[in-house]
Amino acid sequence: MSKIAVIFGTRPELIKLSPVVNALRQRIGDDAISTYSTGQHRELLAQAQLCLNTPIDVNFDVMTHAQSTGDVLAKTVTLLEAEFAQKRPELVVVQGDTMTAFAGAMASFLNKIPLVHVEAGLRTLDQENPWPEEGLRQMIARVTTLHLAPTPGARANLMREGIPSEKIHVVGNPGIDTLVALRNAPKSPAKEKSSLTKGRTKLVLITMHRREAFDGGLDHFCDELQKTLRMHSNCMFIWPLHPNPAVRDVVRKHFSDDEEFPNLCLTEPFPYEEMISVLPLADLVISDSGGMQEEAPYCGVPIIVVRDITERPEIIELGLGHIAGSRALDLSEHVSGFLDTPLDPNAIDTWQKLQGQGRSSVQIAELLANLIS
């Protein structure tokens, strides 16, 4: 029987857990690890799996058309609880704040199996932002045995909630391990920035996908983006659209005329390895993504966060990002500010050190190996 069960269901979870799985296999052997996918993000997860070459031992493929979050949760907890009852792993590992992570935590708790939470302690302290993620990660913390915090700030959040210090370890961000490995891997010739900007001088990358933007926020963002496109005609804005129809329908409504905004390129989602190759070429990122808040500053690229609050306040404190709010008011001015002012290299270096500099997964594997008999 495998000693450690690793659970993921979305592309970000796989990106952050793949190097942990690899490090664990090197540390305690292939047979000691079992990987489970809920299939919460079927298409994006499949592409990332192919890129990262991470085997999936059990795929529950829970997603069906138009099912509610409650349906997903009930189905996933039921399947994982039955699996754990039969297989009895010694540890269960979940990452982040997704419905998959919460289901894995609940199934582990119901089977009285110790739970390890990777990326523990991120907090906004606002249950509505982001929703439901803030509530899910706080609830996961209540049943976690070992909290693997990415930063000292995340550790402090957990200690304020009464988590004993001996149950918390600061390990950095294993997602950065994946980014560093892909950037260092042999690959096809790198993209030229000129091929992306098409004669313009600056490149701005946009990603948007969070639920809180669906209640009118994304419409306001698109209005602000239209103004920004007109004000910054020297910039090429590339927006890989999330597969969610709730995102695509709104964006297509605002940008139905391709000729009206020649400096906006709407594309299909980039495969992860392509995103990693494009990101360092960007002069600025505009996003509501948690992962992008980590990756862009790590690559020395400033980020405008299209949310009302962030669980990664260090990037704001270091001057590597700015919170523009979910409606992105005055977006054009924020864009000008970052394009006109280079980032402080010392701030970038500090963020890279906080994120673990590509060595987090080895630390995590060592801690987990010490927990199992």
Side-chain angles (χ1 to χ4, degrees), residues 162-225:
I163 306 297
S165 61
E166 63 269 20
K167 291 188 174 183
I168 309 168
H169 292 266
V170 177
V171 297
N173 176 5
I176 295 299
D177 295 22
T178 299
L179 182 151
V180 170
L182 287 177
R183 288 178 63 179
N184 292 338
K187 55 189 175 182
S188 56
K191 285 182 176 292
E192 294 290 337
K193 185 172 181 176
S194 59
S195 68
L196 299 168
T197 56
K198 302 185 187 307
R200 293 175 170 82
T201 58
K202 300 286 186 179
L203 176 64
V204 180
L205 186 62
I206 303 172
T207 73
M208 295 282 288
H209 74 283
R210 287 196 173 271
R211 289 183 182 90
E212 55 263 37
F214 299 166
D215 189 20
L218 188 56
D219 281 294
H220 285 282
F221 172 76
C222 289
D223 289 338
E224 289 294 321
L225 181 59

Side-chain angles (χ1 to χ4, degrees), residues 21-134:
V21 170
N22 292 337
L24 281 170
R25 285 183 167 144
Q26 291 178 17
R27 179 68 173 73
I28 59 177
D30 289 349
D31 293 340
I33 313 299
S34 289
T35 55
Y36 294 84
S37 171
T38 65
Q40 185 179 333
H41 285 178
R42 184 182 295 122
E43 292 84 4
L44 292 177
L45 182 68
Q47 186 281 320
Q49 182 199 358
L50 188 63
C51 161
L52 300 175
N53 193 28
T54 303
I56 295 175
D57 297 312
V58 179
N59 189 346
F60 293 123
D61 200 18
V62 299
M63 296 303 292
T64 59
H65 179 67
Q67 65 184 338
S68 70
T69 53
D71 290 338
V72 175
L73 178 60
K75 187 185 300 184
T76 307
V77 170
T78 299
L79 289 167
L80 286 172
E81 184 186 4
E83 183 75 14
F84 296 163
Q86 178 185 3
K87 301 292 180 62
R88 301 304 305 175
E90 295 183 35
L91 290 178
V92 171
V93 180
V94 299
Q95 187 278 327
D97 49 26
T98 68
M99 199 63 69
T100 288
F102 182 64
M106 291 301 98
S108 173
F109 174 70
L110 293 172
N111 279 284
K112 297 184 178 181
I113 299 170
L115 177 71
V116 177
H117 187 199
V118 177
E119 197 177 82
L122 297 187
R123 297 289 186 270
T124 64
L125 303 179
D126 179 351
Q127 297 283 7
E128 299 297 318
N129 288 293
W131 184 91
E133 289 87 350
E134 177 68 14

Side-chain angles (χ1 to χ4, degrees), residues 183-337:
R183 288 178 63 179
N184 292 338
K187 55 189 175 182
S188 56
K191 285 182 176 292
E192 294 290 337
K193 185 172 181 176
S194 59
S195 68
L196 299 168
T197 56
K198 302 185 187 307
R200 293 175 170 82
T201 58
K202 300 286 186 179
L203 176 64
V204 180
L205 186 62
I206 303 172
T207 73
M208 295 282 288
H209 74 283
R210 287 196 173 271
R211 289 183 182 90
E212 55 263 37
F214 299 166
D215 189 20
L218 188 56
D219 281 294
H220 285 282
F221 172 76
C222 289
D223 289 338
E224 289 294 321
L225 181 59
Q226 288 182 348
K227 300 175 190 176
T228 303
L229 290 166
R230 294 186 179 102
M231 291 287 294
H232 295 274
S233 58
N234 65 317
C235 298
M236 174 58 72
F237 293 75
I238 298 180
W239 188 347
L241 292 179
H242 194 274
N244 192 331
V247 174
R248 293 186 168 222
D249 291 348
V250 172
V251 176
R252 293 296 184 187
K253 177 182 69 176
H254 286 268
F255 299 102
S256 57
D257 185 353
D258 294 340
E259 296 182 1
E260 185 177 2
F261 299 100
N263 58 332
L264 174 65
C265 177
L266 301 176
T267 75
E268 289 300 309
F270 288 161
Y272 182 67
E273 65 271 29
E274 183 174 358
M275 178 64 81
I276 292 306
S277 69
V278 170
L279 181 56
L281 301 177
D283 296 284
L284 175 65
V285 168
I286 303 171
S287 180
D288 61 2
S289 161
M292 193 61 78
Q293 289 179 66
E294 298 160 350
E295 293 168 345
Y298 195 90
C299 294
V301 180
I303 183 166
I304 295 175
V305 182
V306 188
R307 289 170 55 187
D308 295 320
I309 191 169
T310 179
E311 58 279 274
R312 297 165 177 86
E314 296 92 344
I315 63 169
I316 310 302
E317 296 161 3
L318 289 167
L320 302 174
H322 174 79
I323 298 176
S326 58
R327 298 191 173 196
L329 298 178
D330 302 319
L331 179 63
S332 181
E333 287 79 0
H334 300 318
V335 169
S336 295

